[in-house]
Amino acid sequence: MTPIYSLSAGTETDISQYPYSTGGRWDSCVLGGVAILNNGLNNPQYWGGAGDAVDLPYDATDAANVCTWDDQGLKAKIIRPFKYHLFAFDIDDCSGRNRRRLMWSHPAEPGSLPITWDFTKADYDAGDTELSDTNGYILDALQLRDTMQIYMDGAIYAATYTGRQDRNIFTFRPVTLSKGIYARNSVADIGGRHFLVSDGDIYLYDGTNFQSIADERVKQLFFDGGVSRSHYENAFCHYYHRTGEVWLCYPVPGDRYCTKALVWDSNQNVWSQRDIPECTAATFAVVDRVSTYTWATLPYATWADWGITPASPLWTSWILPIDNAPIYDSLLL
């Protein structure tokens, strides 16, 4: 069994509605304040902040006969939000798995779930398509300004909302058929651009142009034997907005989970490397520490009273709690 927990104010609560498969790889997103949780094996779940997680409906146009994804024999490896819709990628149904197929839901009302994914219903805007210009597979997707960038292992597509009345409300055009993404979760939005780990290089991508930001040392650390070939799919990157850093976390050979991080400082355009405890994901939270200090509670009132420079061990021992005071979001691995 793999349970789902919520964590609030240090209290863990099991919100599982039934035992979930242990073989899936969990992912999540938020649409209108509702959390969507998916492992690619069970019916996708949603959680509104209270009670247990609930099966995500496939079609709820008939309130007395709600149909779930399991009822349709459908599964998706990836679910992402865009333009009040949910998108599902890498679809598995009764005819088998199609890693180039994607589906989108009818738009959701604010704070609600999409009422249907059924693209056969003429009165709704759900739909599906297959990205067939390449033999590659869809690995991830992420919004970039007014587009949804769909990342494959050897191509990138841009989905644009058109609002056409024939239910083809999105257009899908290939941006490039020569670059793709390294693994799921190896792309991060850094404010109007994407930090993108491709096969052999790391880019800043604005929807049209690619700017390489990895020097030869970084490429060697990551691509030339730095990342585990057996568990490379566990690599992920996360943007730490408060510091302007992107953390590219990855497992080294012999490790299953991430134990190293390449950290790119977007303000200075410099790289550093860190050892990290085994982890599989990152997020933000306000961390309330036992001992926190403010400027008013420091032992010395002025810089001169310290008698030493801010780089000294005495200053360093006090500045860490200030930097991680509860008014800040902390990066949690």
Side-chain angles (χ1 to χ4, degrees):
M1 173 184 177
T2 299
I4 302 174
Y5 291 93
S6 69
L7 176 63
S8 179
T11 301
E12 287 186 353
T13 304
D14 189 340
I15 60 171
S16 310
Q17 65 162 321
Y18 51 72
Y20 303 105
S21 171
T22 59
R25 184 179 175 195
W26 285 98
D27 214 336
S28 65
C29 64
V30 177
L31 179 68
V34 179
I36 311 298
L37 309 148
N38 181 52
N39 66 2
L41 295 178
N42 295 109
N43 195 105
Q45 304 289 290
Y46 75 90
W47 188 63
D52 289 341
V54 182
D55 287 343
L56 183 69
Y58 175 79
D59 181 56
T61 53
D62 180 0
N65 188 26
V66 175
C67 176
T68 68
W69 280 61
D70 273 351
D71 294 332
Q72 292 293 308
L74 277 172
K75 295 179 178 62
K77 294 298 181 184
I78 310 155
I79 297 179
R80 297 285 186 262
F82 179 58
K83 295 286 187 184
Y84 303 106
H85 301 255
L86 285 175
F87 274 67
F89 304 91
D90 191 351
I91 306 300
D92 195 348
D93 61 15
C94 59
S95 61
R97 184 180 181 185
N98 187 339
R99 300 184 67 177
R100 291 183 291 274
R101 184 184 172 196
L102 62 94
M103 301 166 52
W104 63 90
S105 70
H106 185 74
E109 297 294 331
S112 302
L113 293 170
I115 195 169
T116 189
W117 294 75
D118 191 344
F119 49 84
T120 67
K121 292 183 178 291
D123 294 334
Y124 297 90
D125 288 332
D128 78 330
T129 192
E130 181 177 344
L131 304 181
S132 55
D133 293 326
T134 173
N135 291 325
Y137 303 138
I138 299 173
L139 293 178
D140 212 337
L142 187 64
Q143 182 170 342
L144 179 60
R145 297 190 295 274
D146 289 333
T147 67
M148 169 72 90
Q149 298 292 317
I150 303 169
Y151 292 102
M152 307 180 77
D153 55 353
I156 302 174
Y157 283 75
T160 305
Y161 180 77
T162 62
R164 286 162 48 183
Q165 298 302 308
D166 55 1
R167 291 191 298 147
N168 292 314
I169 61 174
F170 293 98
T171 60
F172 302 88
R173 64 173 181 85
V175 177
T176 175
L177 299 178
S178 61
K179 289 184 178 68
I181 198 174
Y182 188 75
R184 194 199 310 180
N185 295 320
S186 58
V187 58
D189 187 343
I190 64 169
R193 291 184 295 176
H194 282 179
F195 175 99
L196 168 64
V197 183
S198 188
D199 188 9
D201 208 343
I202 302 173
Y203 299 100
L204 280 185
Y205 169 57
D206 63 6
T208 303
N209 303 299
F210 296 86
Q211 175 191 351
S212 176
I213 57 173
D215 57 30
E216 292 305 315
R217 179 182 66 93
V218 170
K219 292 178 185 178
Q220 184 175 16
L221 283 172
F222 186 79
F223 296 107
D224 296 344
V227 62
S228 168
R229 299 304 179 189
S230 300
H231 302 293
Y232 72 94
E233 292 182 337
N234 289 332
F236 68 91
C237 57
H238 207 87
Y239 180 48
Y240 192 6
H241 56 277
R242 182 163 67 84
T243 61
E245 296 174 341
V246 180
W247 287 55
L248 171 55
C249 304
Y250 60 96
V252 299
D255 290 337
R256 181 176 182 182
Y257 302 116
C258 299
T259 53
K260 293 281 188 181
L262 286 168
V263 181
W264 181 63
D265 185 334
S266 63
N267 298 314
Q268 304 295 327
N269 190 25
V270 295
W271 290 86
S272 59
Q273 189 179 37
R274 301 222 183 159
D275 293 322
I276 57 176
E278 289 188 338
C279 66
T280 59
T283 189
F284 299 105
V286 175
V287 179
D288 190 5
R289 299 177 182 274
V290 175
S291 297
T292 56
Y293 303 94
T294 67
W295 294 107
T297 59
L298 286 172
Y300 303 111
T302 68
W303 290 97
D305 291 336
W306 287 85
I308 41 183
T309 65
S312 71
L314 178 60
W315 172 255
T316 302
S317 69
W318 283 83
I319 193 62
L320 182 62
I322 295 174
D323 187 51
N324 291 280
I327 60 171
Y328 292 124
D329 278 347
S330 295
L331 180 67
L332 302 183
L333 300 176

